[in-house]
Amino acid sequence: MPFGLSTLLFIVWPVTLVVAPPVPDNEFFNRKMLLPAPLKEPIVALIGDKCYISLVEDFDLTDVPCIKYALSKGLGFGIVIGGSIVKIPQILTIVNAGSARGLSLASYILETLSCCITFAYNWRQNNPFSTYGETCFLTVQNIIITMLILFYAQRHSETMVTMVGYIAVLYVLTYIVPSWVMSSLYGATIPIGLASKLPQIYTNFANKSTGQLSVFAVVTYFAGTAARVFTTMTELDDPLMLYGNMLACVLNGILLIQVLLYWGLNPISDINEKDWA
C-alpha cells in the first residue's frame, strides 16, 4: 500500500470512530418514562392507569383509544374551566351598559331551567364531572343574567323571587324527583334547548342587531358545545346527551353567524327613533 494512502487511512479511521453514529441500544428504546409522584398522580386520575402506562410510560402513539380518551378528558376539563367564566363578559357588558337591551328574558329563563335539569341528571347518574361540570357554573351565571335583565327592566320584585325559585327547582331536581322522572325531564331538555335559543335568534333577526349580546360568550359557547359533542361520543353511551349537545351546537352556531352578520349594527328600533327625531 502506498505511503500516502496508508497515512490517510491512519488519520481518517479514528475520526470515523468518533463521528459515526452509535449502534442502537434496545434497552434505551425500551426504557419507560417514569414521572415523579406529584406529576404522575394527577395524570393517572385524569386518564387512568391503563392509558397512563400506554401513553406516558410506553409512549405508544398508536394506541388510538387511549389517545381519544385522553383528548376527551383534556377537552372536558377545558370546557368546565371555560364554562366557569364564559358568561362573565356578558354580565360585565350588561352592568357596564346599565341595560340588558337585546337580550331575551325567555331565552335565559329556559336556558337556566335546561342547565338545572342537565346538572341534576348527570349528578344523579354519577357521570364523570368532566362531561357536565360546566352546567354547574352556567346555571349560576344564567341566574345572575336573568336577575340583571329583570332588574334593569325595573321589575325589582321579580328579581329575588326568580333567584329563590331557581334554587328551589335545583334542590328538588337533585334530591327529591324520582330517577325515572329525571330521565324524562332530561329528554325534555332537547325541546327546551330549542325553545331557549329561538327567542334570542328571533330577537337578533328582528332587530338586525345582537344588542348587548357578548361576542366572547357566543364564540366560547359554540366552541364548548362542539367539543362537548366529541367528549360525549368518546366517554358516554348516552344518546340523549349526544342529541342534546348536537342540537345546542347547531343553535349556538346560528347565534355565532348572527354575531358575524350583525357586527357593530344598531337595533332597528334605535335607527327608527333617530329617523323620527
Side-chain angles (χ1 to χ4, degrees):
M1 181 182 292
F3 174 77
L5 182 58
S6 62
T7 304
L8 180 62
L9 289 175
F10 180 78
I11 296 173
V12 171
W13 180 69
V15 174
T16 59
L17 292 178
V18 175
V19 299
V23 177
D25 183 1
N26 290 331
E27 291 186 3
F28 175 80
F29 290 104
N30 291 331
R31 290 177 183 172
K32 293 182 178 291
M33 175 73 74
L34 300 178
L35 297 178
L39 293 178
K40 176 182 176 180
E41 291 175 1
I43 300 176
V44 170
L46 183 65
I47 63 176
D49 285 314
K50 179 183 176 182
C51 288
Y52 173 82
I53 292 172
S54 176
L55 298 180
V56 179
E57 292 189 355
D58 297 339
F59 199 63
D60 183 5
L61 298 182
T62 62
D63 190 345
V64 177
C66 275
I67 291 175
K68 289 176 63 177
Y69 184 73
L71 180 60
S72 175
K73 282 294 186 182
L75 283 173
F77 277 105
I79 295 169
V80 172
I81 294 172
S84 67
I85 62 171
V86 66
K87 295 293 182 91
I88 291 179
Q90 181 68 78
I91 294 171
L92 294 177
T93 299
I94 296 172
V95 173
N96 291 334
S99 168
R101 173 175 288 188
L103 300 184
S104 170
L105 177 62
S107 284
Y108 276 97
I109 290 175
L110 291 172
E111 183 180 343
T112 308
L113 179 60
S114 178
C115 285
C116 289
I117 295 173
T118 301
F119 173 77
Y121 173 81
N122 282 278
W123 175 272
R124 296 175 65 163
Q125 290 288 108
N126 292 318
N127 287 333
F129 189 72
S130 62
T131 62
Y132 72 92
E134 74 278 4
T135 58
C136 173
F137 302 106
L138 288 173
T139 299
V140 174
Q141 293 170 80
N142 280 333
I143 290 174
I144 293 173
I145 292 173
T146 303
M147 292 173 64
L148 287 173
I149 293 174
L150 292 169
F151 178 81
Y152 286 115
Q154 305 302 316
R155 297 162 65 176
H156 298 157
S157 60
E158 299 175 40
T159 304
M160 294 305 298
V161 172
T162 300
M163 182 184 71
V164 174
Y166 274 130
I167 293 173
V169 167
L170 190 58
Y171 179 82
V172 169
L173 290 173
T174 306
Y175 296 105
I176 298 177
V177 174
S179 297
W180 64 271
V181 175
M182 280 305 306
S183 297
S184 300
L185 287 174
Y186 187 76
T189 61
I190 296 178
I192 290 175
L194 178 64
S196 71
K197 297 297 182 183
L198 288 181
Q200 186 65 64
I201 291 172
Y202 175 77
T203 299
N204 295 341
F205 176 77
N207 291 334
K208 296 295 184 290
S209 168
T210 54
Q212 301 301 329
L213 193 63
S214 169
V215 177
F216 175 83
V218 173
V219 173
T220 308
Y221 218 36
F222 171 73
T225 50
R228 183 56 75 203
V229 172
F230 174 77
T231 62
T232 303
M233 293 175 63
T234 303
E235 297 186 51
L236 300 175
D237 183 18
D238 192 329
L240 277 177
M241 284 196 66
L242 179 60
Y243 297 150
N245 287 324
M246 290 175 67
L247 176 63
C249 182
V250 171
L251 295 176
N252 285 321
I254 295 173
L255 286 173
L256 178 60
I257 292 172
Q258 288 185 321
V259 166
L260 297 176
L261 288 176
Y262 303 142
W263 184 281
L265 298 181
N266 291 322
I268 289 178
S269 58
D270 286 357
I271 296 174
N272 290 338
E273 287 175 5
K274 292 179 180 178
D275 291 342
W276 282 103

